[in-house]
Amino acid sequence: MSGVFSSLTERGGAYPLLLLAPMAGYTDAAMRAVCSSFGVTWTYTEMTNGYGLARGEEKTWHLLETAEDEGPVMAHLYGQDPEVMGMAAGLVGETGRFIGIDLNAGCPVHKVTASGAGAALIRDPERVYAVLSAMVRATQLPVTLKTRLGPSPDRVAIFELLDAAERAGARAITVHARFTSQRHSGDPHLDILAEVKRRARIPVIANGGIYSRTTAWRTFQETGCDALMVARAAIGNPWVFGDIVQSFQAGEPPREVHVPGSGRSHRDLDAIRQTLYRHLEAEKRLLARVREKYHLPESALTPEEALVTTFRCHLFRYLHGLQGSGHLRRHLLDLKSEADIRSAVEACLENEAGFRAKGGEQGRLPNEK
Ligand SMILES: Cc1cc2nc3c(=O)[nH]c(=O)nc-3n(C[C@H](O)[C@H](O)[C@H](O)COP(=O)(O)O)c2cc1C
């Protein structure tokens, strides 16, 4: 399976690969399996603590649980101690379940940066070099880096980080084309990303602000990056990958059209129902497996409550823009069981079907479908 990674360099140069970004709290095996079936080349696990892995803590290892039917996955780790991260990389490699190991040097959350990991590493390229080198020495798997442009617009650090990654033997670099100070908002700086791609001797994966065919094409055309990584736009919307793949296969940049009411979903309702329930079932299987396999601290939640809690954040996004989704959003915390989820989904889809039958679709352009 690790041969998949080489498609980054051997893809023939036509179009970029499409990847699902790591997202803590979201990209578990269930979401990854759904996205993989929509054209993603590989996905990333949730962010996982290297210390916890090195210490063999089950409460950390369960985050790396994979599903048999999901596609290729990269393990995404954080930490700042070279020795510990080397040990963690070795252990992750031994599982045989991953196509590579990615180091996080971009997470701005205080709990992570306080220990010197995540975005704190951006200020210390030599440490990035040391951590990556230790990881590369410890495993046969490709090791990669995911980082940002720098701490703030007046402190661009990405070229030092690229240099550190290349010297350490990293096999690719993912650049979230924003500064730490921007967190997740504001336009990505594609001009700086393009310069990174020009200078890099390893493949460059572009990330930040890719949420449609148009933004995918713009990122590819303006930067020439080898792969595009999508994060937030994929939550409750795995179709985004199919749309982008189709548009690249067609070989033509999409026309930019202003569509009145385009914030609304125009997805086929059966497609939403099927995919949403497929995701829900996958989540159920994953939670049951984790419960069986790992000795986790006793949870106050029943298995069904755990399912509802995990799935709520996906649920709203699947139904976003449909009639009644606003009401659902306000009452998300009232959902307590799988049956509650299913009846909320059916009510929302029924409302939308009624709305469309009454001509709610009129006024949309044909290419909205
Ligand atoms: C809820 C959430 C969780 C995230 N967790 C991680 C993470 O664990 N590791 C990481 O490198 N980036 C994480 N990110 C950042 C994304 O991977 C991505 O870099 C960022 O959202 C920009 O991409 P986008 O504009 O397509 O959303 C997270 C983002 C969100 C919204």
Side-chain angles (χ1 to χ4, degrees), residues 14-208:
Y15 294 112
L17 304 183
L18 264 188
L19 314 177
L20 170 68
M23 281 184 284
Y26 287 89
T27 55
D28 62 8
M31 178 172 176
R32 297 194 305 260
V34 171
C35 289
S36 290
S37 68
F38 281 88
V40 169
T41 308
W42 69 71
T43 62
Y44 291 75
T45 66
E46 299 177 71
M47 188 169 67
T48 306
N49 185 344
Y51 278 99
L53 296 176
R55 281 200 226 107
E57 288 174 356
E58 300 213 343
K59 71 179 185 342
T60 307
W61 272 99
H62 89 271
L63 290 170
L64 294 187
E65 187 62 21
T66 50
E68 300 237 316
D69 60 348
E70 68 171 303
V73 195
M74 293 278 277
H76 177 66
L77 313 188
Y78 73 96
Q80 91 302 351
D81 183 304
E83 196 180 331
V84 171
M85 292 304 285
M87 208 186 297
L91 292 169
V92 168
E94 281 168 19
T95 65
R97 287 192 269 129
F98 300 98
I99 61 162
I101 306 177
D102 188 47
L103 172 68
N104 179 302
C107 176
V109 173
H110 179 72
K111 206 174 89 185
V112 173
T113 56
S115 66
L121 285 174
I122 291 176
R123 295 175 183 276
D124 194 351
E126 279 315 303
R127 182 167 284 274
V128 170
Y129 166 77
V131 174
L132 285 173
S133 300
M135 292 170 72
V136 167
R137 277 195 302 273
T139 178
Q140 303 281 321
L141 290 178
V143 171
T144 58
L145 175 69
K146 180 171 183 284
T147 189
R148 291 173 178 254
L149 300 177
S152 54
D154 58 339
R155 296 197 42 202
V156 177
I158 189 63
F159 301 106
E160 285 103 302
L161 292 162
L162 171 64
D163 177 60
E166 288 181 337
R167 280 188 289 122
R171 300 269 297 279
I173 183 168
T174 300
V175 183
H176 177 186
R178 295 187 175 100
F179 293 92
T180 311
S181 58
Q182 291 180 274
R183 294 185 82 92
H184 293 120
S185 61
D187 287 338
H189 298 262
L190 296 185
D191 51 340
I192 306 178
L193 183 51
E195 184 58 27
V196 174
K197 173 60 190 160
R198 270 193 293 277
R199 294 195 200 178
R201 284 176 282 123
I202 52 176
V204 179
I205 301 167
N207 170 238

Side-chain angles (χ1 to χ4, degrees), residues 42 45 84 101 119 135 307 331 346 352 356 365:
W42 69 71
T45 66
V84 171
I101 306 177
M135 292 170 72
L307 174 69
H331 292 89
E346 292 306 323
E352 176 69 12
R356 291 184 184 185
L365 300 179

